[in-house]
Amino acid sequence: MSPWLTVVGIGEDGWAGIGRSARRALLAADAVYGGERHLALLPARIRARRVAWPKPFSIEPVLRERGRPVCVLASGDPMLFGVGATLARHLDVGELSIVPAPSSLSLAAARLQWALQDVVSVSVVGRPLALLNAHLRRGARLLVLTSDGATPAAIAALLTERGFGASRLSVFERLGGAQERRIDARADDWTHASVAALNLVAIQCGSTRAGLPLTHGLPDDAYRHDGQLTKRDIRAITLARLAPQPGELLWDVGAGCGSIGIEWMRAHPSCRAIAIEADHGRQRLIEHNRDALGVPGLQLVEGEAPAALDGLPAPDAIFIGGGVTVPGVLDACWSRLREGGRLIANAVTIQSEATLFAWREQHGGELTRIGIAQAEPLGGFDTWRQARPITLLHAQKP
């Protein structure tokens, strides 16, 4: 099968910057789809119909052209946060050809002389700025694709609020074009309320703080909570048993302040989680914590299991941090878990522990008793203060 659709990467230098194969595809096309800015870069000799993307954005008009020679214009490399990746999910390999141009990330890295393999690339196009919070640590280098001309000022404000006001920002407007411009300043010294709508922000993180660790078990004070928090050491052990893998989905049932789901998602950018929590006030705590810790994509479901589980996509792993004694919760979770999935439940009361023992007799699994003690002063000496022991159930579905 020969491709009927060609996705052409194009930069601010327009027709002059694209190669021979891309030009041939555009000259032969019946229709060319793209943003209005990209379509305006084409010369008059391109006779194809020029179709701007619909609002809201959809690739359906392109898919309806199947079988006719069609081109799509995309910024730089279409497979980097671009429409090429979206189209590839809907078409067979033989239907699609990709002709990339240098991405804005590549151009910015060249201007800065940064090694791309050492840089974190983040897109906040149509996404919350809170995504940046997961990557803020001393010395980190970030390249950020932005939504509009106000985004750099919003990034500077976020960095300053988070204690990274000493970070160096370089904003590149219209990269690769005749009107390219660069603006450099510290985040806490940023004075440009708005810049050109087409821009990219480079961040050299500067702070006296190291930032949050990459390991499971963030400090307890990283979270706002009302006491319903899986404590740091127990959280680290629990997440080790949950064993997140890229792309997997977690249900955090009885989520409290959301710590398990949040750290699951921090394990890899493609990890997904749903926090199920009945308490309205705790829902607001989860909202704060997920943004502050850089995983605004954590989905919230307000309700009590098992009823609140209806209609949710099947998970790869489930953590039950509260409510194991509620009739039907364990069985409902187990029945919805994918084959090979992991179920972890923590119990702190005698009744909840008895429930785990009884459930294991029927379904199998491992039980682990976890005891943590902290050294505390006692007069002129120190003694161990024992926390409540935790019973952990770990079961894997056949």
Side-chain angles (χ1 to χ4, degrees):
M1 178 190 299
S2 59
W4 60 270
L5 177 61
T6 302
V7 183
V8 174
I10 191 168
E12 283 298 287
D13 50 359
W15 181 259
I18 64 176
R20 185 178 302 172
S21 61
R23 292 185 178 191
R24 279 201 303 262
L26 288 164
L27 288 166
D30 287 349
V32 180
Y33 286 77
E36 293 178 359
R37 179 176 61 84
H38 290 144
L39 293 172
L41 295 173
L42 297 179
R45 58 178 154 149
I46 302 296
R47 300 298 184 183
R49 286 183 294 117
R50 304 186 187 198
V51 187
W53 290 118
K55 297 178 181 179
F57 175 81
S58 171
I59 62 169
E60 287 303 318
V62 173
L63 298 180
R64 288 196 291 269
E65 303 263 12
R66 183 179 261 111
R68 304 171 58 188
V70 173
C71 283
V72 165
L73 294 178
S75 293
D77 185 347
M79 301 304 289
L80 183 68
F81 299 111
V83 70
T86 303
L87 289 163
R89 289 193 290 268
H90 292 81
L91 298 171
D92 294 331
V93 172
E95 295 183 89
L96 179 64
S97 175
I98 307 288
V99 185
S103 70
S104 57
L105 300 182
S106 294
L107 293 173
R111 306 293 190 268
L112 294 160
Q113 298 184 16
W114 287 1
L116 266 176
Q117 68 269 20
D118 299 329
V119 173
V120 176
S121 302
V122 183
S123 173
V124 294
V125 179
R127 299 177 176 91
L129 278 186
L131 281 169
L132 297 178
N133 289 330
H135 306 289
L136 300 182
R137 50 188 51 86
R138 188 170 56 227
R141 289 175 168 178
L142 284 69
L143 293 176
V144 185
L145 300 175
T146 65
S147 293
D148 53 36
T151 305
I155 290 174
L158 180 146
L159 291 168
T160 303
E161 179 186 349
R162 299 289 295 178
F164 286 82
S167 300
R168 300 294 304 179
L169 299 188
S170 296
V171 174
F172 294 93
E173 299 176 327
R174 303 183 181 92
L175 263 168
Q179 300 181 66
E180 180 178 320
R181 184 173 74 133
R182 173 175 173 174
I183 307 169
D184 295 289
R186 277 173 53 123
D188 56 9
D189 227 8
W190 191 259
T191 58
H192 303 269
S194 186
V195 299
L198 184 64
N199 69 81
L200 176 145
V201 179
I203 305 171
Q204 173 78 59
C205 287
S207 175
T208 56
R209 304 186 313 181
L212 291 171
L214 298 176
T215 53
H216 297 315
L218 297 181
D220 291 345
D221 61 10
Y223 295 95
R224 286 186 185 173
H225 61 90
D226 61 358
Q228 293 298 310
L229 169 70
T230 302
K231 296 299 190 290
R232 181 178 191 172
D233 297 309
I234 301 298
R235 195 183 329 126
I237 294 170
T238 299
L239 281 152
R241 294 299 187 98
L242 285 167
Q245 295 286 331
E248 287 190 329
L249 172 66
L250 170 77
W251 285 0
D252 185 359
V253 180
C257 72
S259 62
I260 295 293
I262 287 168
E263 294 194 31
W264 168 279
M265 290 185 66
R266 282 173 59 90
H268 191 273
S270 66
C271 284
R272 299 164 295 136
I274 301 174
I276 299 100
E277 174 55 56
D279 186 275
H280 182 75
R282 290 175 188 157
Q283 286 267 328
R284 305 291 76 78
L285 292 172
I286 295 171
E287 287 179 346
H288 167 83
N289 291 331
R290 70 179 182 183
D291 289 351
L293 296 170
V295 289
L298 174 66
Q299 182 182 341
L300 277 69
V301 172
E302 188 165 344
E304 188 169 330
L309 308 178
D310 292 343
L312 300 182
D316 302 284
I318 298 175
F319 172 65
I320 307 175
V324 295
T325 58
V326 176
V329 167
L330 275 164
D331 287 336
C333 288
W334 187 249
S335 67
R336 297 290 299 278
L337 187 63
R338 292 185 186 276
E339 292 182 2
R342 293 87 66 198
L343 184 146
I344 309 295
N346 287 354
V348 68
T349 67
I350 294 172
Q351 289 79 10
S352 57
E353 184 180 79
T355 301
L356 296 187
F357 270 97
W359 190 90
R360 188 192 66 153
E361 288 297 310
Q362 184 176 358
H363 299 282
E366 302 175 2
L367 286 170
T368 303
R369 171 63 75 87
I370 306 169
I372 304 291
Q374 300 286 340
E376 293 187 359
L378 180 64
F381 300 92
D382 293 307
T383 189
W384 293 108
R385 182 172 294 277
Q386 190 78 34
R388 293 189 187 97
I390 301 291
T391 300
L392 181 149
L393 169 72
H394 178 190
Q396 184 157 355
K397 195 168 185 179

